[in-house]
Amino acid sequence: MYRITCLVFLTLSLIACSSDDVDVSKTHQKPNLIIMYVDDLGYGDVGSYGAVGVETPNIDRLAKNGVRFTDAHSSAATCTPSRYSLLTGEHGFRNKAAILPGDAPLLISPDQSTLPKMLKRAGYTTAVVGKWHLGLGVDDVDWNKDIKPGPLEIGFDYSFLLPATGDRVPTVYVENHRVVGLDPKDLIQVSYQEKIGNRATGYENPEQLRVTADAQHSKTIVNGVSRIGYMAGGESALWVDEEFPDIFTEKAISFLRRNKDKPFFLFHSFHDIHVPRLPNPRFIGKSTMGPRGDAIVQMDWMVGEIIKELEQLGIAENTIIIFTSDNGPILDDGYTDNAEEMVGAHKPAGVFRGAKYSAFEAGTRVPTILTWPSMVKPVESDALVSQMDIYASMAKLVGVDLKEGEAMDSFDILDTLIGQSKKGREYLLKESIGGLSVRQKNWKYIAPIKSTAELPSWIYGKKVEIGISDMPQLYDLSVDISEQQNIADKNPQLVKTLQAKIEEIVSEGYK
Ligand code: NG6
Ligand code: CA
C-alpha cells in the first residue's frame, strides 16, 4: 500500500511539476532507467521463462523481484525496425526501417523526437552502449573522420557502439564520433558491393576460418571469422569478439559511476546472443548447448555485473531496469556453431510457433521484465504490451508532455508496466519479414501477401517458418497458443475487420 501511495504521489507530483513553476529536472526522486536490450533472445531462452540447458540466475532474480510479462512484444521480428520503434515510439514501416547494411546512413533524423531526447527534457543524462544497427552518418560514411550524425545527434550524451551487428563490417568500435584506436596511417574502407583491400575472405581462404559460414557471411575475415561485407585497413582498431562482454560492461559501468548522482538513461544494447557467437573463453562449456547457450550465460553475467554495480553505488532502489530482446530466437543464422545440434530439450521460443523473422508469435513475443526495487512489487502480467509503449509511459512518469505526433504508436500504459494494472493494449501491429500481422486481445490475424515471390530470397535458406503466406490466417490464442489451427475460413467477418484495422493503423495510426 505504501508503495502504491508513494508511486501515485510521485507520478502526480511529477505531472504537477511539468507545468511552468517547478523544474522537474530538480526533482530528486526521478528514477534512473536502464533498458537491457538483448539481441535475438527467445521467449524460452532464460530460466524464468522455462529454459533448460542454460542457467540465468541474474535474469531470474530480476524476474523474481519485478513485473514478469508473458505477452510483451518487440515491434518487429528483426533488429533495425524494433530498435527504431523502441527509440522513436513509432512503427518501423513509417520510415521504411529494414535490416540495414553496416555502411547505411543514420535512419533516425536529427529532427525526430526520440526517447533519449524526451528524457533529456526531464533532465536526464543519456547513453547508449553496445549494438546500434540504426545506421550512422549521411550517404557514404567516412569511418576515418567524425562519424555523424549518430546517437549524439538524436539525444544521447554518450555512445560506445558496435556500429551494426557482430556479423557485419566494419568490425571496430565507435565512441561518440570516432572509431576507437584508429591509426591515421591505416585508413578504413568498407564496401558491401565488392572486395576491397587485401584481407582474406571466407570464400577465398576457408582454411583461415574458425567457424564456417553461409555465402552471405563469407566475406572479409576478421578474428578468424568471415563477415557480411568487405573491409580494408583499420588493423589497430579491429575488435576481438571475445572481449565484447568485458568492454561493453566496463563502458556501461563507467557511465553509471559518472552519473550516479543525477537521473540517467542507459540504453545497454547487447551483442549477445546474435551471431557470430564467440563467448569469452571463461563462459565456454557453461551451458549444455554449445556457443548459443554459452552466449546466454555470458549475457546473464553482464546483467549481473550491472545489478551489482547499481547496488554498490547505492542507486539500485531507484533504478528501473527493463530487460527484453529485439526479436525472437534463431538457431542457424549463418554460421555453423552447432546451435541446432546441441539444443536438446531446450525450446528457444517456448510454446510459441515461429522464430526471428516470423509473423508467428515467436517473432516478437520476448522475455520482458521490469524491476524498480523501491516501487514495484513482484507480479506476473499477461497484458499485451509493446516496447514502443516505453516512450509514452516514461514520459508520463517523468512529467513530460508529448508534442503533437510525437511517439505516435506509443501508448501510456505506465500502470501496466509497473505492475499496478493488467490492462494492456487493445491492438498491436507487428512487422515481420515480408508482412504485417495484428493482435487484438487473443486474436491473431496475419495478413496475406499477393505472392510469396515477394519475400526476400535469402530467407529461403533459413529453417524458420516466416509465417507469411498468400492466404489470410487467423488464430485464437486463447485455445491455440501455438498457432496451429488457421480458422480464417470460419470467421470471414473478423478477418475483414482485422484486415481493415491493419490498413487503418498503417495509414492513420492507432485511434
Ligand atoms: C540477415 C543475416 C543474418 C542477420 C540478420 C540481422 C543473411 C543471410 N542473414 O540478413 O545473419 O545478420 O540479417 O539480424 O545475411 S538482426 O537481429 O540484426 O536483425
Ligand atoms: Ca536481433
Side-chain angles (χ1 to χ4, degrees):
M1 189 60 203
Y2 168 73
R3 288 178 181 203
I4 298 173
T5 319
C6 231
L7 181 67
V8 170
F9 171 75
L10 172 76
T11 310
L12 289 177
S13 64
L14 290 176
I15 293 164
C17 289
S18 70
S19 58
D20 14 47
D21 37 299
V22 189
D23 181 358
V24 263
S25 64
K26 303 275 167 10
T27 311
H28 291 303
Q29 301 100 316
K30 255 177 299 173
N32 306 309
L33 173 65
I34 301 179
I35 298 180
M36 296 184 176
Y37 212 48
V38 185
D39 203 350
D40 297 1
L41 185 75
Y43 190 90
D45 274 331
V46 296
S48 42
Y49 285 78
V52 294
V54 61
E55 287 178 8
T56 55
N58 293 302
I59 300 160
D60 298 349
R61 188 146 64 94
L62 289 179
K64 196 164 141 268
N65 296 322
V67 189
R68 191 183 81 97
F69 292 93
T70 57
D71 200 1
H73 296 258
S74 55
S75 84
T78 53
C79 164
T80 302
S82 289
R83 283 154 204 265
Y84 178 86
S85 297
L86 177 74
L87 294 183
T88 64
E90 65 174 48
H91 283 293
F93 58 75
R94 303 210 189 281
N95 194 13
K96 298 192 176 63
I99 301 172
L100 292 178
D103 59 352
L106 179 65
L107 185 63
I108 300 173
S109 155
D111 302 332
Q112 262 178 279
S113 301
T114 63
L115 176 65
K117 274 192 205 168
M118 182 279 289
L119 289 169
K120 278 167 75 71
R121 302 207 300 266
Y124 280 65
T125 303
T126 58
V128 50
V129 171
K131 173 172 170 172
W132 184 239
H133 210 190
L134 286 164
L136 289 168
V138 224
D139 302 329
D140 285 336
V141 53
D142 184 342
W143 299 95
N144 308 293
K145 298 195 170 134
D146 268 0
I147 301 161
K148 61 186 183 186
L152 302 196
E153 284 68 34
I154 62 160
F156 288 103
D157 295 309
Y158 172 76
S159 66
F160 186 92
L161 306 180
L162 182 166
T165 60
D167 56 351
R168 283 175 174 77
V169 298
T171 50
V172 294
Y173 302 110
V174 175
E175 187 168 32
N176 296 322
H177 288 140
R178 284 281 171 174
V179 167
V180 178
L182 181 65
D183 173 356
K185 293 188 287 303
D186 180 26
L187 298 182
I188 295 173
Q189 277 179 286
V190 168
S191 168
Y192 275 73
Q193 272 75 50
E194 62 205 358
K195 183 171 178 189
I196 45 171
N198 302 323
R199 229 173 241 129
T201 60
Y203 58 85
E204 291 164 318
N205 297 93
E207 75 289 350
Q208 293 188 19
L209 294 176
R210 294 194 283 152
V211 209
T212 54
D214 66 15
Q216 286 88 342
H217 293 83
S218 289
K219 314 286 168 38
T220 296
I221 299 177
V222 175
N223 192 24
V225 180
S226 50
R227 319 275 166 162
I228 308 177
Y230 300 96
M231 174 179 172
E235 191 68 30
S236 60
L238 297 178
W239 72 43
V240 175
D241 307 69
E242 287 82 349
E243 293 175 353
F244 286 161
D246 295 311
I247 290 183
F248 293 138
T249 300
E250 194 263 306
K251 297 294 169 190
I253 284 180
S254 310
F255 175 77
L256 301 182
R257 289 184 184 160
R258 288 198 300 278
N259 292 283
K260 63 179 178 15
D261 297 326
K262 46 194 183 192
F264 62 76
F265 164 44
L266 170 64
F267 177 31
H268 195 9
S269 174
F270 293 51
H271 154 74
D272 289 315
I273 57 170
H274 199 279
V275 295
R277 302 175 187 119
L278 300 161
N280 187 279
R282 69 184 187 274
F283 298 106
I284 291 177
K286 296 290 183 209
S287 76
T288 60
M289 299 194 290
R292 186 173 183 278
D294 298 347
I296 297 176
V297 177
Q298 170 168 291
M299 178 275 292
D300 181 74
W301 173 84
M302 292 174 71
V303 171
E305 289 303 288
I306 298 294
I307 300 174
K308 217 163 45 186
E309 185 66 27
L310 293 171
E311 283 163 358
Q312 273 162 16
L313 293 173
I315 54 173
E317 286 290 301
N318 199 27
T319 297
I320 297 174
I321 295 177
I322 300 176
F323 172 91
T324 189
S325 170
D326 68 341
N327 52 250
I330 179 127
L331 296 179
D332 179 353
D333 208 11
Y335 294 96
T336 313
D337 64 5
N338 286 329
E340 283 174 339
E341 293 77 358
M342 296 184 76
V343 72
H346 179 87
K347 295 203 167 16
V351 295
F352 301 108
R353 186 171 178 185
K356 176 177 180 176
Y357 306 117
S358 174
F360 292 127
E361 284 295 281
T364 61
R365 198 190 284 225
V366 284
T368 302
I369 303 162
L370 183 145
T371 58
W372 184 3
S374 62
M375 289 291 177
V376 162
K377 282 191 289 205
V379 67
E380 183 166 313
S381 175
D382 64 358
L384 176 63
V385 303
S386 165
Q387 290 168 6
M388 290 187 293
D389 300 328
I390 294 171
Y391 195 132
S393 304
M394 278 306 295
K396 170 72 164 298
L397 180 62
V398 302
V400 167
D401 292 327
L402 295 184
K403 296 179 248 174
E404 183 71 31
E406 180 172 1
M408 69 175 285
D409 300 312
S410 181
F411 286 92
D412 163 22
I413 51 163
L414 178 61
D415 290 349
T416 306
L417 289 187
I418 59 175
Q420 305 284 336
S421 159
K422 295 269 173 82
K423 192 168 176 331
R425 289 169 152 249
E426 179 84 2
Y427 293 99
L428 175 58
L429 202 61
K430 303 171 30 161
E431 284 186 74
S432 56
I433 291 291
L436 293 172
S437 52
V438 70
R439 280 280 307 279
Q440 187 212 5
K441 303 221 166 77
N442 276 312
W443 294 110
K444 167 77 172 286
Y445 170 67
I446 306 177
I449 52 172
K450 284 201 193 70
S451 155
T452 48
E454 289 171 24
L455 295 169
S457 56
W458 58 262
I459 201 79
Y460 289 108
K462 304 273 171 208
K463 293 183 200 130
V464 299
E465 293 185 292
I466 308 162
I468 297 280
S469 81
D470 47 10
M471 298 294 289
Q473 296 172 73
L474 180 71
Y475 300 96
D476 177 359
L477 302 182
S478 66
V479 292
D480 179 21
I481 195 71
S482 306
E483 297 167 282
Q484 297 296 318
Q485 302 295 325
N486 180 4
I487 50 172
D489 280 356
K490 296 191 200 97
N491 298 275
Q493 193 49 48
L494 186 55
V495 164
K496 225 168 124 189
T497 308
L498 292 175
Q499 178 66 38
K501 194 73 200 173
I502 290 184
E503 285 158 25
E504 179 191 299
I505 296 168
V506 169
S507 58
E508 296 162 45
Y510 296 87
K511 288 193 177 145

